[in-house]
Amino acid sequence: YRELNREGFLKVIKKFQKVSSVDCSELVDEVNTAYFVTSTILDSLLATTETLYVTRVWSGDRTGALDYLNHDLKNVVVFRRNLMWKDIIVNTASQSQPKAVTWTVKPIPLVVASLAMLFLLVFPAKFIGGPEAERCFAMLAFLVVMWVFEAVPLYVTSLTIPFFTIVLSLIPNEDATDTTSKILGSMMGHVIFMILGGFSIAASLSKFKLDHAMATFVISKSGTKPANVGLAVMMVGAFLSMFL
């Protein structure tokens, strides 16, 4: 297992060096001189264990005992390696498949929120002042219950705000048409679309692995100094922000 770990580190470094074109000779030297590679404690323990096994089980037949141990070890390593790669392939395949959006609806909080809003609409809170404020307080009670207990997904609860604002006529001295235009117009402002554009660009870069390609190119050209890498990352961020 010590040799497997060493080979694993070296293969990872070799793959990184091939993709990024960065000199990783220092990392290879660190792996070869690491404690788990150069330590002799494990060798002495192995020798002691082998001697006990040969003496107690194989009656001094060291050749037969070591052949038997090496054969079983090879089978175990191959078996576990196959299982590891199988798990990696299954996890990668499951992550690449799109996940269906599922809603979790909690009926009891939904009913409680609806009853609370209905009660405050039938028996308004007169101490607030104004019919619009009373209806807004009823909507607030509904939203608080829905958000606290997550009767439906949070974004679904958020989408009910413009609906109730229009239906309950919460904006004074305006009809339903003007209220609808004002509420929906505020939701479709230029700032909102700028944020949505940024999310869209990020999703596109991630889907087609362009973010990985950019990161690899930046790392390969910026060297190994942290200051240069940080400056390159900031320049990439500034370049992408121009498209927002």
Side-chain angles (χ1 to χ4, degrees), residues 2-3 6 30-47:
R2 181 177 64 179
E3 292 298 325
R6 176 178 173 275
E30 289 184 8
V31 172
N32 290 327
T33 57
Y35 178 75
F36 75 93
V37 176
T38 59
S39 175
T40 59
I41 297 177
L42 183 61
D43 295 331
S44 61
L45 293 176
L46 286 174

Side-chain angles (χ1 to χ4, degrees), residues 103 139 142-143 146-147 152-167 183-184 187-188:
W103 286 10
M139 183 186 70
F142 172 82
L143 295 174
M146 295 289 287
W147 273 327
V152 295
L154 298 179
Y155 58 88
V156 178
T157 303
S158 301
L159 292 175
T160 61
I161 296 177
F163 173 76
F164 285 124
T165 303
I166 298 171
V167 172
I183 296 299
L184 297 182
M187 295 180 62
M188 296 292 113

Side-chain angles (χ1 to χ4, degrees), residues 207-232:
K207 179 175 178 61
F208 296 102
K209 307 298 182 182
L210 294 179
D211 54 344
H212 183 271
M214 289 182 181
T216 302
F217 178 78
V218 169
I219 293 175
S220 62
K221 299 300 181 181
S222 59
T224 58
K225 293 183 178 180
N228 296 338
V229 175
L231 179 60

